[in-house]
Amino acid sequence: MSRSDAISDIESYFDDGVFRADLARRVAIRTESPIPERRPELYRYLTEEMSPYLEDMGFTSEVFDNPREDGGPFLVARYHESDGLPTVMTYGHGDVVRGYDDQWRDGLNPWLITEEGERWYGRGTADNKGQHTINLAAMKAVLKERGQLGFNVVALIETGEECGSPGLNEFCSSHKELFEADVFIASDGPRLQPDQPTIFMGSRGVFNFTMTLNLRDGGHHSGNWGGLLANPGVILSHALATIVDAKGQILVDGWKAAPMTNAVRQALAKLNVGGGDGGPEIDPSWGEPGLTAEEKVFGSNTFEILAFETGNPRNPVNAVPPRAVAHGHIRFVAGSDPKNFLPALRNHLDERGFEMIELEIEQDIMYATRLDPDHPWARWAVKSIEATAMRDVAVLPNLGGSLPNDVFAEVLGLPTIWVPHSYAGCSQHAPNEHVLAPVCRDALRIMTGLWWDLGAGDTPALGRTL
Ligand SMILES: [Zn+2]
């Protein structure tokens, strides 16, 4: 009964194919939360897959309906060993983005795991089924080896993260008693580099909106009306060109991040961002001038046009289209107030003669959070992971992507530690999503060590400092 025995157990779990089998079963459930007809699959993921797995480990579990009409269910599973022990809250999301089944490369199917060398393809392998599968299996290995965990657990699995986590804030706000804990430890998102263990303690926020220009009903023949009727596609593209320049620099007052603090700048200076083999190449001249690549993605606000449409791109006709729409998207760091984004854009457009463009917020805002890299729980996690991995851990003040971390950090008041198990080239949210098998195996070892150490007594929960 030792830490290294538990780590050997988890290596066998991976090497004997059990991890692959657990993950394959979960990937096969089509939990596409953006498709309303998939709601029963969201329930099935919790009731037929996750509840039995956790109950087998000694958890009690309950599935709650979402307080919102448009939201999927929540699973809350609790494991109580003793009052005097630290309690960890962990989290995962069982939903995935759309499968886009017909867009995957030949030979791949989003709902089956396909192995090609080190890559395991399948929707949700990276985001997030693979990640919570790793964390819970690691916990199970500690339980088996030690006979007990040495800590208490509350696990939350939600099923709406890919739609902006509708109802999560309300649910946690009204059930705070379920989530009393000393620390939050969970996994989502990518490692900084595939072979570098990474932790992050917050995330950028996300703000989605549409810009619509609706000039009239129906298209009109361009031979009769071209030159006489204003073209909404042309006008909207001119408006977009005032928001962001040709090199990706934001031009709207009030959209840029406040300057970074020295602590954040120093933490970022130690990092080296990149997607690893197979990841896209960074365009060095894109984005906010004067910032390093790490400062751009972890320390600043960025704007994207996600989609833009006028007329019918699949079947263009010789007509002046009636309407144009662009879907805009801002990622922002802690310290920016997203409630100011649309008023600032409204002013910006009005001053430039684009009053007729309508602006609308598209989904719930995910707020930005950040925890000091020197926080005792962050230092504890780094020490544990380094002891297992025998190499340096990348410490990010916040992730470049977005998570509903404000609910855990602010509503529930927990120190939040995220240990990501994917990598930036994993194609999450796109066709051909995959994980890297060696990273999964490494992550299983790291998490087993982390859970082992959490139950070994020497943690910030007991008031000891490192
Ligand atoms: Zn996702």
Side-chain angles (χ1 to χ4, degrees):
M1 182 189 116
S2 71
R3 192 180 196 272
S4 58
D5 289 339
I7 291 175
S8 306
D9 278 358
I10 206 70
E11 288 171 351
S12 310
Y13 167 75
F14 182 89
D15 297 341
D16 297 347
V18 189
F19 170 69
R20 191 190 186 286
D22 282 346
L23 184 57
R25 227 174 34 245
R26 292 171 189 172
V27 165
I29 304 176
R30 301 187 180 202
T31 53
E32 299 158 288
S33 57
I35 303 178
E37 297 73 46
R38 293 283 190 255
R39 186 70 57 86
E41 294 300 282
L42 302 181
Y43 276 91
R44 197 159 78 81
Y45 189 78
L46 300 184
T47 57
E48 290 181 22
E49 180 57 40
M50 299 315 295
S51 285
Y53 185 86
L54 287 159
E55 284 173 9
D56 184 54
M57 288 169 67
F59 282 69
T60 55
S61 76
E62 190 174 349
V63 173
F64 293 83
D65 292 333
N66 198 297
R68 291 223 213 151
E69 264 316 86
D70 60 339
F74 300 101
L75 172 68
V76 180
R78 295 162 63 81
Y79 172 95
H80 187 83
E81 217 164 75
S82 163
D83 284 345
L85 297 174
T87 298
V88 62
M89 175 174 179
T90 190
Y91 159 89
H93 66 88
D95 63 314
V96 294
V97 295
R98 288 166 189 269
Y100 300 116
D101 299 35
D102 53 349
Q103 295 176 35
W104 288 52
R105 198 152 50 64
D106 274 355
L108 301 181
N109 176 329
W111 313 109
L112 291 175
I113 291 185
T114 307
E115 281 184 52
E116 279 182 12
E118 292 189 341
R119 295 182 174 201
W120 292 8
Y121 290 91
R123 175 60 83 221
T125 50
D127 182 15
N128 170 268
K129 292 172 177 175
Q131 306 218 20
H132 59 259
T133 297
I134 286 169
N135 291 357
L136 297 174
M139 210 178 263
K140 199 172 190 172
V142 170
L143 189 58
K144 181 178 157 223
E145 195 56 43
R146 188 182 258 151
Q148 55 188 14
L149 286 178
F151 55 90
N152 306 313
V153 188
V154 52
L156 171 67
I157 312 261
E158 71 153 318
T159 56
E161 201 268 351
E162 301 298 358
C163 297
S165 295
L168 179 67
N169 195 313
E170 292 93 315
F171 180 70
C172 288
S173 300
S174 61
H175 290 89
K176 281 187 187 165
E177 73 291 348
L178 293 177
F179 303 110
E180 275 170 23
D182 296 287
V183 64
F184 174 97
I185 300 175
S187 299
D188 202 10
R191 288 178 168 190
L192 189 63
Q193 301 285 347
D195 60 355
Q196 187 175 26
T198 300
I199 68 166
F200 59 87
M201 287 86 72
S203 65
R204 286 200 295 181
V206 62
F207 183 88
N208 282 19
F209 63 97
T210 51
M211 302 171 63
T212 308
L213 182 53
N214 215 336
L215 291 183
R216 58 190 76 84
D217 291 333
H220 291 275
H221 190 285
S222 58
N224 301 331
W225 297 99
L228 303 178
L229 297 181
N231 183 312
V234 172
I235 295 172
L236 187 56
S237 36
H238 280 274
L240 288 168
T242 72
I243 294 175
V244 61
D245 76 7
K247 293 194 160 185
Q249 184 183 358
I250 289 175
L251 303 175
V252 179
D253 273 347
W255 274 18
K256 291 196 189 192
M260 279 163 277
T261 62
N262 280 340
V264 168
R265 207 180 277 276
Q266 280 164 11
L268 296 183
K270 292 187 201 144
L271 307 177
N272 185 12
V273 73
D277 291 346
E281 219 170 287
I282 290 171
D283 296 314
S285 61
W286 185 259
E288 194 61 26
L291 300 184
T292 65
E294 294 74 24
E295 289 170 347
K296 285 174 185 171
V297 73
F298 301 120
S300 80
N301 297 353
T302 50
F303 169 70
E304 308 298 336
I305 295 167
L306 302 181
F308 180 102
E309 189 175 53
T310 193
N312 181 353
R314 278 169 208 213
N315 184 21
V317 292
N318 296 335
V320 179
R323 180 175 186 270
V325 60
H327 296 261
H329 172 83
I330 300 173
R331 300 269 179 182
F332 59 96
V333 294
S336 303
D337 185 353
K339 296 207 174 74
N340 293 335
F341 289 154
L342 277 198
L345 180 59
R346 182 75 275 160
N347 283 342
H348 175 96
L349 292 176
D350 291 355
E351 279 170 12
R352 288 160 182 78
F354 296 111
E355 297 90 349
M356 62 297 211
I357 293 174
E358 292 163 38
L359 303 178
E360 194 179 356
I361 182 163
E362 219 176 317
Q363 53 173 232
D364 286 346
I365 300 171
M366 270 196 204
Y367 289 88
T369 54
R370 200 178 252 172
L371 187 73
D372 189 316
D374 284 334
H375 190 280
W377 275 110
R379 286 161 57 206
W380 171 85
V382 167
K383 192 176 154 202
S384 167
I385 294 169
E386 287 184 345
T388 307
M390 312 280 273
R391 51 197 200 280
D392 283 348
V393 173
V395 180
L396 278 53
N398 57 263
L399 183 70
S402 302
L403 293 161
N405 195 52
D406 60 303
V407 176
F408 314 124
E410 267 140 49
V411 175
L412 300 177
L414 300 174
T416 53
I417 308 286
W418 292 84
V419 189
H421 306 321
S422 180
Y423 79 116
C426 70
S427 302
Q428 71 179 101
H429 294 192
N432 310 330
E433 177 179 350
H434 60 278
V435 277
L436 300 176
V439 174
C440 292
R441 190 177 189 276
D442 189 50
L444 283 161
R445 299 177 74 255
I446 283 170
M447 293 308 295
T448 301
L450 196 70
W451 298 136
W452 183 275
D453 293 342
L454 184 61
D458 192 13
T459 72
L462 300 182
R464 292 178 212 170
T465 44
L466 296 171

